Amino acid sequence: IVENLIQALAWNYVSDVMVRLHRMGYRTLNCPYDALLILIPRDGHEQEHLQRCKDEMIKPPPWLPNLPLGCDGELKERYG
């Protein structure tokens, strides 16, 4: 029960991040478990786009404002 509850909370959080990123103009390509695959434009500012996405991923949710979150991210041509 606890595991399912944690997974449900994680999904709620990740889906909130997807909505925020969509409003910022980013497109989610896939959402495997607790990760997001985001389409980032090739405009010479790829690292800035990546950092913006990572910053959104580590914002704590309003329902748990002191939650410490971390995030890894990298730029790739293909998922793998």
Side-chain angles (χ1 to χ4, degrees):
I1 291 175
V2 172
E3 179 184 0
N4 291 340
L5 179 62
I6 298 300
Q7 288 177 353
L9 289 173
W11 171 247
N12 285 340
Y13 176 74
V14 169
S15 62
D16 286 345
V17 173
M18 281 192 293
V19 169
R20 291 196 312 263
L21 289 172
H22 177 73
R23 289 181 180 153
M24 295 170 67
Y26 296 105
R27 180 175 163 211
T28 302
L29 299 176
N30 198 355
C31 181
Y33 184 54
D34 61 352
L36 292 177
L37 303 178
I38 306 294
L39 182 63
I40 292 179
R42 279 193 183 174
D43 60 1
H45 301 282
E46 292 85 357
Q47 287 296 333
E48 293 169 33
H49 290 295
L50 176 61
Q51 189 58 51
R52 240 181 257 136
C53 292
K54 289 169 63 175
D55 290 345
E56 286 300 315
M57 284 292 289
I58 63 171
K59 281 185 183 175
W63 39 269
L64 198 55
N66 295 322
L67 180 66
L69 294 170
C71 172
D72 292 331
E74 57 188 312
L75 297 171
K76 288 188 172 184
E77 292 284 324
R78 291 176 177 74
Y79 179 65

Coordinates of all heavy atoms in Angstrom, one line a residue:
I1 N 0.8 -1.2 0.0 CA 0.0 0.0 0.0 C 0.9 1.3 0.0 O 0.6 2.2 -0.7 CB -1.0 0.0 1.2 CG1 -2.0 -1.1 1.0 CG2 -1.6 1.3 1.3 CD1 -2.9 -1.3 2.2
V2 N 1.9 1.3 0.8 CA 2.8 2.4 0.9 C 3.5 2.7 -0.4 O 3.5 3.8 -0.9 CB 3.8 2.3 2.0 CG1 4.8 3.4 2.0 CG2 3.1 2.2 3.4
E3 N 4.0 1.6 -1.1 CA 4.6 1.8 -2.4 C 3.7 2.4 -3.4 O 4.0 3.3 -4.1 CB 5.2 0.4 -2.9 CG 5.8 0.6 -4.2 CD 6.3 -0.8 -4.8 OE1 6.1 -1.8 -4.1 OE2 6.8 -0.8 -5.9
N4 N 2.5 1.9 -3.4 CA 1.5 2.4 -4.4 C 1.1 3.9 -4.1 O 1.0 4.7 -5.0 CB 0.2 1.6 -4.4 CG 0.4 0.2 -4.9 OD1 1.4 -0.1 -5.7 ND2 -0.4 -0.8 -4.6
L5 N 1.1 4.2 -2.8 CA 0.8 5.6 -2.5 C 1.9 6.5 -2.9 O 1.7 7.6 -3.5 CB 0.6 5.7 -1.0 CG 0.3 7.1 -0.4 CD1 -1.0 7.7 -1.0 CD2 0.3 7.1 1.1
I6 N 3.2 6.1 -2.7 CA 4.3 6.9 -3.1 C 4.3 7.0 -4.6 O 4.6 8.1 -5.2 CB 5.6 6.2 -2.6 CG1 5.7 6.2 -1.1 CG2 6.8 6.9 -3.2 CD1 5.6 7.6 -0.4
Q7 N 4.1 5.9 -5.4 CA 4.0 6.0 -6.8 C 2.9 6.9 -7.3 O 3.1 7.7 -8.3 CB 3.9 4.6 -7.4 CG 5.1 3.8 -7.3 CD 4.9 2.4 -7.8 OE1 3.8 2.0 -8.2 NE2 6.0 1.6 -7.8
A8 N 1.8 6.9 -6.7 CA 0.7 7.8 -7.0 C 1.1 9.3 -6.8 O 0.9 10.2 -7.7 CB -0.6 7.5 -6.3
L9 N 1.7 9.6 -5.7 CA 2.2 10.9 -5.4 C 3.3 11.4 -6.4 O 3.3 12.5 -6.9 CB 2.7 11.0 -4.0 CG 1.7 10.9 -2.9 CD1 2.4 10.9 -1.5 CD2 0.7 12.1 -2.9
A10 N 4.2 10.5 -6.7 CA 5.2 10.8 -7.7 C 4.6 11.1 -9.1 O 5.0 12.0 -9.8 CB 6.2 9.6 -7.8
W11 N 3.6 10.3 -9.5 CA 2.9 10.6 -10.8 C 2.2 11.9 -10.7 O 2.2 12.7 -11.7 CB 1.9 9.4 -11.1 CG 1.1 9.8 -12.3 CD1 -0.2 10.1 -12.3 CD2 1.6 10.1 -13.6 NE1 -0.6 10.4 -13.6 CE2 0.5 10.4 -14.4 CE3 2.8 10.0 -14.2 CZ2 0.6 10.7 -15.8 CZ3 2.9 10.3 -15.6 CH2 1.8 10.7 -16.3
N12 N 1.5 12.2 -9.6 CA 0.9 13.6 -9.5 C 1.9 14.7 -9.7 O 1.7 15.6 -10.4 CB 0.2 13.7 -8.2 CG -1.1 12.9 -8.1 OD1 -1.7 12.6 -9.2 ND2 -1.6 12.6 -6.9
Y13 N 3.0 14.5 -9.1 CA 4.1 15.5 -9.1 C 4.6 15.7 -10.6 O 4.7 16.8 -11.1 CB 5.2 15.2 -8.2 CG 6.3 16.2 -8.3 CD1 6.2 17.5 -7.9 CD2 7.5 15.9 -9.0 CE1 7.2 18.5 -8.0 CE2 8.5 16.8 -9.2 CZ 8.3 18.1 -8.7 OH 9.3 19.0 -8.9
V14 N 5.0 14.5 -11.2 CA 5.5 14.6 -12.5 C 4.5 15.1 -13.5 O 4.9 15.9 -14.4 CB 6.0 13.2 -12.9 CG1 6.4 13.1 -14.4 CG2 7.2 12.8 -12.1
S15 N 3.3 14.8 -13.4 CA 2.3 15.3 -14.3 C 2.1 16.8 -14.1 O 1.9 17.5 -15.1 CB 0.9 14.6 -14.2 OG 0.4 14.8 -12.9
D16 N 2.2 17.3 -12.9 CA 2.2 18.8 -12.7 C 3.4 19.4 -13.4 O 3.3 20.5 -14.0 CB 2.3 19.1 -11.2 CG 1.0 18.8 -10.5 OD1 -0.1 18.7 -11.2 OD2 1.0 18.8 -9.2
V17 N 4.6 18.8 -13.3 CA 5.7 19.3 -14.0 C 5.5 19.3 -15.5 O 5.8 20.3 -16.2 CB 7.0 18.5 -13.7 CG1 8.2 19.0 -14.5 CG2 7.3 18.7 -12.2
M18 N 4.9 18.3 -16.1 CA 4.6 18.2 -17.5 C 3.7 19.4 -17.9 O 4.0 20.0 -19.0 CB 4.0 16.9 -17.9 CG 4.9 15.8 -18.0 SD 4.1 14.3 -18.8 CE 2.9 13.8 -17.6
V19 N 2.7 19.7 -17.1 CA 1.8 20.8 -17.4 C 2.6 22.1 -17.4 O 2.4 23.0 -18.3 CB 0.6 20.8 -16.5 CG1 -0.2 22.1 -16.6 CG2 -0.3 19.6 -16.7
R20 N 3.4 22.3 -16.4 CA 4.2 23.6 -16.3 C 5.1 23.7 -17.5 O 5.2 24.8 -18.1 CB 5.0 23.7 -15.0 CG 4.1 23.8 -13.8 CD 4.9 24.3 -12.6 NE 6.1 23.6 -12.3 CZ 6.2 22.6 -11.4 NH1 5.1 22.2 -10.8 NH2 7.4 22.0 -11.2
L21 N 5.8 22.6 -17.9 CA 6.7 22.7 -19.0 C 6.0 22.9 -20.3 O 6.4 23.7 -21.2 CB 7.6 21.4 -19.1 CG 8.6 21.2 -18.0 CD1 9.2 19.9 -18.1 CD2 9.7 22.3 -18.1
H22 N 4.8 22.3 -20.5 CA 4.0 22.6 -21.7 C 3.6 24.0 -21.8 O 3.7 24.6 -22.9 CB 2.7 21.7 -21.6 CG 1.8 21.9 -22.8 ND1 2.1 21.5 -24.0 CD2 0.6 22.6 -22.8 CE1 1.1 21.8 -24.8 NE2 0.2 22.5 -24.1
R23 N 3.2 24.6 -20.7 CA 2.9 26.1 -20.7 C 4.1 26.9 -21.0 O 3.9 28.1 -21.5 CB 2.3 26.5 -19.3 CG 1.0 25.9 -19.1 CD 0.4 26.3 -17.7 NE -0.9 25.7 -17.6 CZ -1.5 25.5 -16.4 NH1 -0.8 25.7 -15.3 NH2 -2.7 24.9 -16.3
M24 N 5.3 26.4 -20.8 CA 6.5 27.1 -21.1 C 6.9 26.9 -22.6 O 7.9 27.5 -23.0 CB 7.7 26.7 -20.2 CG 7.5 27.1 -18.7 SD 8.7 26.3 -17.6 CE 10.2 27.1 -18.1
G25 N 6.2 26.0 -23.3 CA 6.5 25.8 -24.7 C 7.2 24.5 -25.0 O 7.6 24.3 -26.1
Y26 N 7.4 23.7 -24.0 CA 8.2 22.4 -24.2 C 7.2 21.3 -24.4 O 6.1 21.3 -23.9 CB 9.1 22.1 -23.0 CG 10.2 23.1 -22.8 CD1 10.1 24.0 -21.8 CD2 11.3 23.2 -23.7 CE1 11.1 25.0 -21.6 CE2 12.3 24.1 -23.5 CZ 12.2 25.0 -22.5 OH 13.1 25.9 -22.3
R27 N 7.6 20.3 -25.2 CA 6.8 19.2 -25.5 C 7.3 17.9 -24.9 O 8.5 17.6 -25.0 CB 6.8 19.0 -27.0 CG 5.9 17.8 -27.5 CD 5.9 17.8 -29.0 NE 5.4 16.5 -29.4 CZ 5.8 15.9 -30.5 NH1 6.6 16.5 -31.4 NH2 5.3 14.7 -30.8
T28 N 6.5 17.2 -24.1 CA 6.9 16.0 -23.5 C 6.7 14.8 -24.5 O 5.6 14.7 -25.1 CB 6.0 15.7 -22.3 OG1 6.1 16.7 -21.4 CG2 6.4 14.4 -21.6
L29 N 7.8 14.1 -24.8 CA 7.7 13.0 -25.7 C 7.3 11.7 -25.1 O 6.7 10.9 -25.7 CB 9.1 12.8 -26.4 CG 9.6 14.0 -27.2 CD1 11.0 13.8 -27.7 CD2 8.6 14.3 -28.3
N30 N 7.8 11.5 -23.8 CA 7.5 10.3 -23.1 C 7.7 10.5 -21.6 O 8.3 11.5 -21.2 CB 8.4 9.2 -23.6 CG 7.9 7.8 -23.2 OD1 6.9 7.6 -22.5 ND2 8.6 6.8 -23.7
C31 N 7.1 9.7 -20.8 CA 7.2 9.8 -19.4 C 7.4 8.4 -18.8 O 6.4 7.8 -18.2 CB 5.9 10.4 -18.8 SG 6.0 10.6 -17.0
P32 N 8.6 7.8 -18.9 CA 8.8 6.5 -18.3 C 9.0 6.6 -16.8 O 10.0 7.2 -16.3 CB 10.1 6.0 -19.0 CG 10.8 7.3 -19.4 CD 9.7 8.3 -19.6
Y33 N 8.0 6.1 -16.1 CA 8.0 6.1 -14.6 C 8.1 7.5 -14.0 O 7.2 8.2 -14.0 CB 9.1 5.1 -14.1 CG 9.1 4.9 -12.6 CD1 8.0 4.5 -11.9 CD2 10.3 5.1 -11.9 CE1 8.0 4.4 -10.5 CE2 10.3 5.0 -10.5 CZ 9.1 4.6 -9.8 OH 9.1 4.5 -8.5
D34 N 9.3 7.8 -13.5 CA 9.5 9.1 -12.8 C 10.4 10.1 -13.6 O 11.1 10.9 -13.0 CB 9.9 9.0 -11.4 CG 11.2 8.3 -11.2 OD1 11.8 7.8 -12.3 OD2 11.8 8.2 -10.1
A35 N 10.5 9.9 -14.9 CA 11.3 10.7 -15.7 C 10.5 11.4 -16.8 O 9.4 10.9 -17.1 CB 12.4 9.8 -16.3
L36 N 11.0 12.4 -17.4 CA 10.4 13.0 -18.5 C 11.4 13.1 -19.7 O 12.5 13.5 -19.5 CB 10.0 14.5 -18.1 CG 8.8 14.6 -17.1 CD1 8.6 16.1 -16.8 CD2 7.6 14.0 -17.6
L37 N 10.9 12.8 -20.9 CA 11.7 13.0 -22.1 C 11.1 14.3 -22.8 O 9.9 14.2 -23.2 CB 11.6 11.8 -23.0 CG 12.0 10.5 -22.4 CD1 11.8 9.4 -23.4 CD2 13.5 10.6 -21.9
I38 N 11.8 15.3 -22.8 CA 11.4 16.6 -23.3 C 12.1 16.9 -24.6 O 13.3 16.8 -24.7 CB 11.7 17.7 -22.3 CG1 11.1 17.4 -20.9 CG2 11.2 19.1 -22.8 CD1 9.6 17.3 -20.8
L39 N 11.3 17.4 -25.6 CA 11.8 17.9 -26.8 C 12.3 19.3 -26.6 O 11.6 20.2 -26.3 CB 10.8 17.9 -27.9 CG 11.2 18.3 -29.3 CD1 12.3 17.3 -29.8 CD2 10.0 18.3 -30.2
I40 N 13.6 19.5 -26.8 CA 14.3 20.8 -26.6 C 14.7 21.3 -28.0 O 15.3 20.6 -28.8 CB 15.5 20.7 -25.7 CG1 15.0 20.4 -24.3 CG2 16.3 22.0 -25.7 CD1 16.1 20.2 -23.2
P41 N 14.4 22.6 -28.3 CA 14.7 23.1 -29.6 C 16.2 23.3 -29.8 O 16.9 23.6 -28.9 CB 14.0 24.5 -29.7 CG 13.8 24.8 -28.3 CD 13.7 23.6 -27.5
R42 N 16.7 23.1 -31.0 CA 18.1 23.4 -31.4 C 18.2 24.8 -31.8 O 17.9 25.1 -33.0 CB 18.5 22.5 -32.5 CG 18.9 21.1 -32.1 CD 19.6 20.5 -33.3 NE 19.9 19.1 -32.9 CZ 20.5 18.2 -33.7 NH1 20.7 18.6 -35.0 NH2 20.7 17.0 -33.3
D43 N 18.5 25.7 -30.9 CA 18.6 27.1 -31.2 C 19.8 27.7 -30.6 O 19.9 29.0 -30.5 CB 17.3 27.8 -30.7 CG 17.1 27.7 -29.2 OD1 18.0 27.1 -28.5 OD2 16.2 28.2 -28.7
G44 N 20.8 26.9 -30.3 CA 22.0 27.5 -29.7 C 21.9 27.7 -28.2 O 22.9 28.1 -27.6
H45 N 20.7 27.5 -27.6 CA 20.5 27.7 -26.2 C 20.1 26.4 -25.5 O 19.3 26.4 -24.5 CB 19.5 28.8 -25.9 CG 19.9 30.1 -26.5 ND1 20.8 30.9 -26.0 CD2 19.5 30.7 -27.7 CE1 20.9 32.0 -26.7 NE2 20.1 31.9 -27.8
E46 N 20.6 25.3 -26.0 CA 20.1 24.0 -25.5 C 20.4 23.8 -24.0 O 19.5 23.3 -23.3 CB 20.7 22.8 -26.3 CG 20.3 22.7 -27.8 CD 21.0 23.6 -28.7 OE1 21.9 24.4 -28.3 OE2 20.8 23.6 -29.9
Q47 N 21.6 24.2 -23.6 CA 21.9 24.0 -22.2 C 21.0 24.9 -21.3 O 20.6 24.4 -20.2 CB 23.3 24.4 -21.9 CG 24.3 23.4 -22.4 CD 24.2 22.0 -21.7 OE1 23.8 21.9 -20.6 NE2 24.6 21.0 -22.4
E48 N 20.6 26.0 -21.8 CA 19.7 26.9 -21.0 C 18.3 26.2 -20.9 O 17.6 26.3 -19.9 CB 19.5 28.3 -21.6 CG 20.8 29.1 -21.5 CD 20.8 30.3 -22.4 OE1 19.7 30.9 -22.5 OE2 21.8 30.7 -22.9
H49 N 17.8 25.7 -22.0 CA 16.5 24.9 -22.0 C 16.6 23.8 -21.0 O 15.6 23.6 -20.3 CB 16.2 24.4 -23.4 CG 15.9 25.5 -24.4 ND1 14.8 26.3 -24.3 CD2 16.5 25.9 -25.5 CE1 14.7 27.1 -25.3 NE2 15.8 26.9 -26.1
L50 N 17.7 23.0 -21.1 CA 17.8 21.9 -20.2 C 17.8 22.4 -18.7 O 17.1 21.8 -17.9 CB 19.1 21.2 -20.5 CG 19.5 20.0 -19.5 CD1 18.4 18.9 -19.6 CD2 20.9 19.4 -19.9
Q51 N 18.5 23.4 -18.4 CA 18.5 23.9 -17.1 C 17.1 24.4 -16.6 O 16.7 24.2 -15.5 CB 19.5 25.1 -16.9 CG 19.7 25.5 -15.5 CD 20.2 24.3 -14.6 OE1 21.1 23.6 -14.9 NE2 19.5 24.1 -13.5
R52 N 16.4 25.0 -17.5 CA 15.0 25.5 -17.2 C 14.1 24.3 -16.9 O 13.4 24.3 -15.9 CB 14.4 26.2 -18.4 CG 14.0 27.6 -18.1 CD 13.4 28.3 -19.3 NE 14.5 29.2 -19.8 CZ 14.8 29.4 -21.1 NH1 14.1 28.7 -22.0 NH2 15.7 30.2 -21.4
C53 N 14.3 23.2 -17.7 CA 13.5 22.0 -17.4 C 13.9 21.4 -16.1 O 13.0 20.9 -15.3 CB 13.7 21.0 -18.5 SG 12.9 21.5 -20.1
K54 N 15.2 21.3 -15.8 CA 15.6 20.7 -14.5 C 15.2 21.6 -13.4 O 14.8 21.0 -12.3 CB 17.2 20.6 -14.5 CG 17.7 19.5 -15.5 CD 19.2 19.6 -15.7 CE 20.0 19.4 -14.5 NZ 21.4 19.3 -14.7
D55 N 15.2 22.9 -13.5 CA 14.7 23.8 -12.4 C 13.2 23.5 -12.1 O 12.8 23.5 -11.0 CB 14.9 25.3 -12.8 CG 16.3 25.7 -12.8 OD1 17.2 24.9 -12.2 OD2 16.6 26.7 -13.4
E56 N 12.4 23.2 -13.2 CA 11.0 22.9 -12.9 C 10.9 21.6 -12.2 O 10.0 21.4 -11.4 CB 10.2 22.9 -14.3 CG 10.0 24.3 -14.8 CD 9.2 25.2 -13.9 OE1 8.1 24.7 -13.3 OE2 9.5 26.3 -13.7
M57 N 11.7 20.6 -12.6 CA 11.6 19.3 -11.9 C 12.0 19.3 -10.5 O 11.5 18.5 -9.7 CB 12.6 18.3 -12.6 CG 12.1 17.8 -14.0 SD 10.7 16.8 -13.9 CE 11.3 15.3 -13.2
I58 N 12.8 20.3 -10.0 CA 13.1 20.3 -8.6 C 12.3 21.3 -7.7 O 12.6 21.4 -6.5 CB 14.7 20.6 -8.4 CG1 15.0 21.9 -8.9 CG2 15.5 19.5 -9.1 CD1 16.5 22.4 -8.6
K59 N 11.4 21.9 -8.3 CA 10.5 22.8 -7.6 C 9.6 21.9 -6.7 O 8.9 21.1 -7.2 CB 9.6 23.7 -8.5 CG 10.3 24.8 -9.0 CD 9.3 25.7 -9.8 CE 10.0 26.9 -10.5 NZ 9.0 27.6 -11.3
P60 N 9.6 22.2 -5.4 CA 8.7 21.3 -4.5 C 7.2 21.6 -4.8 O 6.9 22.8 -5.1 CB 9.1 21.7 -3.1 CG 10.0 22.8 -3.2 CD 10.4 23.1 -4.6
P61 N 6.4 20.6 -4.7 CA 4.9 20.9 -4.9 C 4.4 21.7 -3.8 O 4.9 21.7 -2.6 CB 4.4 19.5 -4.9 CG 5.3 18.7 -4.1 CD 6.7 19.3 -4.3
P62 N 3.3 22.5 -4.1 CA 2.7 23.3 -3.0 C 2.2 22.5 -1.8 O 2.1 23.0 -0.7 CB 1.6 24.1 -3.7 CG 1.5 23.5 -5.1 CD 2.7 22.6 -5.3
W63 N 1.8 21.3 -2.0 CA 1.3 20.5 -1.0 C 2.4 19.8 -0.1 O 2.1 19.2 0.9 CB 0.3 19.4 -1.5 CG 0.8 18.7 -2.8 CD1 0.4 19.1 -4.0 CD2 1.6 17.6 -2.9 NE1 1.0 18.3 -5.0 CE2 1.7 17.3 -4.3 CE3 2.2 16.7 -2.0 CZ2 2.4 16.3 -4.8 CZ3 2.9 15.6 -2.5 CH2 3.0 15.4 -3.9
L64 N 3.6 20.0 -0.5 CA 4.8 19.6 0.4 C 6.0 20.5 0.1 O 6.9 20.1 -0.5 CB 5.1 18.1 0.0 CG 5.9 17.3 1.0 CD1 5.3 17.3 2.4 CD2 6.1 15.9 0.5
P65 N 5.9 21.7 0.6 CA 6.8 22.8 0.2 C 8.3 22.6 0.7 O 9.2 23.1 0.1 CB 6.2 24.1 0.9 CG 5.4 23.6 1.9 CD 4.9 22.2 1.5
N66 N 8.5 21.7 1.6 CA 9.9 21.5 2.1 C 10.5 20.2 1.6 O 11.5 19.8 2.1 CB 9.9 21.5 3.6 CG 9.6 22.9 4.2 OD1 9.9 23.9 3.6 ND2 8.8 22.9 5.3
L67 N 9.8 19.6 0.6 CA 10.3 18.4 0.0 C 11.6 18.6 -0.8 O 11.7 19.4 -1.7 CB 9.3 17.8 -0.9 CG 9.6 16.5 -1.6 CD1 9.7 15.3 -0.6 CD2 8.6 16.1 -2.7
P68 N 12.7 18.0 -0.4 CA 14.0 18.1 -1.1 C 14.0 17.3 -2.4 O 13.7 16.1 -2.3 CB 15.0 17.7 -0.1 CG 14.3 16.7 0.8 CD 12.9 17.1 0.8
L69 N 14.1 17.9 -3.5 CA 14.1 17.1 -4.8 C 15.4 17.3 -5.5 O 16.0 18.4 -5.4 CB 12.9 17.6 -5.6 CG 11.5 17.3 -5.1 CD1 10.5 18.1 -5.9 CD2 11.3 15.8 -5.1
G70 N 15.8 16.3 -6.2 CA 17.0 16.4 -7.1 C 16.6 16.0 -8.5 O 15.5 15.4 -8.7
C71 N 17.4 16.2 -9.4 CA 17.1 15.9 -10.8 C 18.4 15.8 -11.6 O 19.4 16.5 -11.5 CB 16.3 17.0 -11.4 SG 16.0 16.9 -13.1
D72 N 18.5 14.8 -12.5 CA 19.5 14.6 -13.5 C 18.9 14.9 -14.8 O 17.8 14.7 -15.1 CB 20.1 13.2 -13.5 CG 20.8 12.8 -12.2 OD1 21.4 13.7 -11.6 OD2 20.8 11.6 -11.8
G73 N 19.8 15.4 -15.7 CA 19.3 15.6 -17.1 C 20.5 15.7 -18.0 O 21.6 16.1 -17.6
E74 N 20.2 15.3 -19.3 CA 21.2 15.4 -20.3 C 20.6 15.6 -21.6 O 19.4 15.2 -21.8 CB 22.1 14.2 -20.2 CG 21.4 12.9 -20.4 CD 22.3 11.7 -20.2 OE1 23.4 11.6 -20.8 OE2 21.9 10.8 -19.5
L75 N 21.4 16.1 -22.5 CA 20.9 16.3 -23.9 C 21.4 15.1 -24.7 O 22.5 14.7 -24.7 CB 21.5 17.6 -24.5 CG 21.1 18.9 -23.8 CD1 22.0 20.0 -24.3 CD2 19.6 19.1 -24.0
K76 N 20.4 14.5 -25.5 CA 20.7 13.4 -26.4 C 20.0 13.5 -27.7 O 18.9 14.2 -27.7 CB 20.3 12.1 -25.7 CG 21.2 11.7 -24.6 CD 20.9 10.3 -24.1 CE 21.9 9.8 -23.1 NZ 21.6 8.4 -22.7
E77 N 20.5 12.9 -28.7 CA 19.8 12.9 -30.0 C 18.7 11.8 -30.0 O 17.7 12.0 -30.6 CB 20.8 12.5 -31.1 CG 21.8 13.5 -31.4 CD 21.3 14.7 -32.2 OE1 20.4 14.5 -33.0 OE2 21.7 15.8 -31.9
R78 N 18.9 10.7 -29.2 CA 17.9 9.6 -29.2 C 17.8 9.1 -27.8 O 18.8 9.2 -27.0 CB 18.4 8.5 -30.1 CG 18.3 8.9 -31.5 CD 18.8 7.7 -32.4 NE 18.7 8.0 -33.8 CZ 19.4 8.9 -34.5 NH1 20.4 9.6 -33.9 NH2 19.3 9.1 -35.8
Y79 N 16.7 8.6 -27.5 CA 16.5 8.0 -26.1 C 17.3 6.7 -26.0 O 17.3 5.9 -26.9 CB 15.0 7.7 -25.9 CG 14.6 7.0 -24.6 CD1 14.9 7.7 -23.4 CD2 14.1 5.8 -24.6 CE1 14.6 7.2 -22.2 CE2 13.8 5.2 -23.4 CZ 14.0 5.9 -22.2 OH 13.7 5.3 -21.0
G80 N 18.0 6.5 -24.9 CA 18.7 5.3 -24.8 C 19.5 5.3 -23.5 O 19.6 6.2 -22.8

